[in-house]
Amino acid sequence: MASIEFRNVNFGYEKDKVIIENASFELEPEQSICVVGPNGGGKSTLIRLLLGLIRPWTGQIRIFEKGPESSRHLIGYMPQYLNFDAQFPITTLEVTLMGCLSSGSKIGPYSRKDRADAEAALERVNLGEMAKKRFSTLSGGQRQRALIARALVSDPKILLLDEPTANVDQSVEEEFHKILRELAEQISIVLVSHDLGFVSGWLEHVLCVNRSVHMHPTASIDGKKLNEIFGDNIVAIRHDHDCPPGEHIHHHGEECDHGK
């Protein structure tokens, strides 16, 4: 049974403008992928289809053999941005507890189990000691981890992360990768990123989205393949090897990220 299944999915916001065209792919349980593609290529639309926020024109989407709208409780979603009032006195634990509302069936105050689950989710992302701290006082990386905890608190089968490292520095990003690698041993992760360094990292498959949708083994992704998919302007940032002094640009548009 596939955790995610797209079959010949087509969608657009206007009748004469197709955003996702004939998309077909499967994700197995506990398999994780990185979704990459240019701006406007359809990554955000793919997320909205997956969450059941929009319906495809044609084709079928199944989440553990059910439709997306009835499977939202199986997906823990971390958005790219969180708009909040920095003056609002909400704690990190209270932000995490919001994940208990994801199924839409919560009525009344949080239970003792809800709080225990939220505390356990914070521990999973190494943020347990910050539970009583105001969310606004956390660093960018700590806020991102708290949002992952919020996505995990409902015990989802799939963790969907939209640009999780977009607003963190490199040292925080490395710690973030470590946490995700550990989580990927227990849960399927769908990670949307503009950082093509993920392609040469710990994820075994990459889903390339640019109107059409293609899944590739990570090992097969190089500068030539990316140029074929996205055009000549794409640059692949390599994180898996060192560069000789002064070396910068390699063949097929690959750029050497020094010392990574």
Side-chain angles (χ1 to χ4, degrees):
M1 178 177 62
S3 57
I4 298 174
E5 182 179 9
F6 274 55
R7 282 286 173 262
N8 306 117
V9 172
N10 291 276
F11 178 81
Y13 296 101
E14 302 174 14
K15 291 184 178 180
D16 59 345
K17 188 175 181 180
V18 178
I19 304 297
I20 297 293
E21 183 175 25
N22 199 31
S24 295
F25 68 92
E26 287 187 8
L27 186 68
E28 299 300 322
E30 298 185 8
Q31 180 184 9
S32 296
I33 59 173
C34 181
V35 180
V36 300
N39 291 334
K43 298 192 303 296
S44 296
T45 298
L46 193 76
I47 291 175
R48 298 185 71 192
L49 287 166
L50 183 59
L51 292 172
L53 300 176
I54 53 178
R55 296 181 179 180
W57 287 348
T58 58
Q60 187 178 60
I61 302 172
R62 309 294 285 176
I63 311 297
F64 290 102
E65 298 187 342
K66 296 181 180 181
E69 292 181 1
S70 59
S71 303
R72 288 176 186 161
H73 65 288
L74 299 176
I75 301 176
Y77 175 55
M78 175 187 157
Q80 182 175 355
Y81 300 107
L82 177 67
N83 294 321
F84 72 100
D85 184 351
Q87 301 303 314
F88 189 74
I90 189 170
T91 67
T92 305
L93 179 63
E94 289 168 336
V95 168
T96 307
L97 279 165
M98 292 177 183
C100 297
L101 305 175
S102 61
S103 64
S105 60
K106 183 70 180 177
I107 299 177
Y110 295 113
S111 67
R112 182 177 300 177
K113 181 180 183 301
D114 290 335
R115 293 183 177 277
D117 289 345
E119 290 171 353
L122 287 170
E123 290 291 346
R124 290 180 74 180
V125 298
N126 301 327
L127 212 60
E129 74 281 1
M130 305 299 289
K132 296 182 180 180
K133 299 288 185 180
R134 283 182 58 165
F135 183 75
S136 60
T137 66
L138 302 186
S139 67
Q142 289 172 331
R143 289 180 187 176
Q144 297 294 73
R145 282 188 280 153
L147 294 180
I148 289 184
R150 185 181 70 169
L152 290 171
V153 73
S154 60
D155 193 26
K157 302 299 182 185
I158 300 169
L159 183 60
L160 176 56
L161 308 176
D162 188 5
E163 301 279 6
T165 60
N167 301 303
V168 298
D169 59 35
Q170 185 175 337
S171 61
V172 172
E173 186 174 326
E174 291 174 357
E175 180 184 7
F176 204 78
H177 289 193
K178 181 177 182 295
I179 291 172
L180 293 182
R181 283 196 298 270
E182 293 172 353
L183 290 174
E185 297 177 0
Q186 310 162 25
I187 187 174
S188 290
I189 295 178
V190 177
L191 191 153
V192 182
S193 180
H194 70 285
D195 179 5
L196 299 182
F198 276 100
V199 173
S200 59
W202 52 275
L203 292 160
E204 295 183 355
H205 291 82
V206 57
L207 192 70
C208 300
V209 181
N210 189 6
R211 182 165 170 167
S212 61
V213 178
H214 302 279
M215 184 180 288
H216 302 277
T218 300
S220 71
I221 299 295
D222 56 16
K224 181 178 180 181
K225 175 66 72 175
L226 291 169
N227 283 336
E228 290 174 356
I229 297 170
F230 300 127
D232 293 335
N233 292 326
I234 199 72
V235 175
I237 307 298
R238 298 295 301 275
H239 292 263
D240 57 351
H241 72 291
D242 293 328
C243 300
E247 185 176 357
H248 187 60
I249 299 296
H250 290 270
H251 59 83
H252 299 317
E254 294 181 5
E255 181 175 344
C256 187
D257 187 8
H258 287 264
K260 303 294 178 291

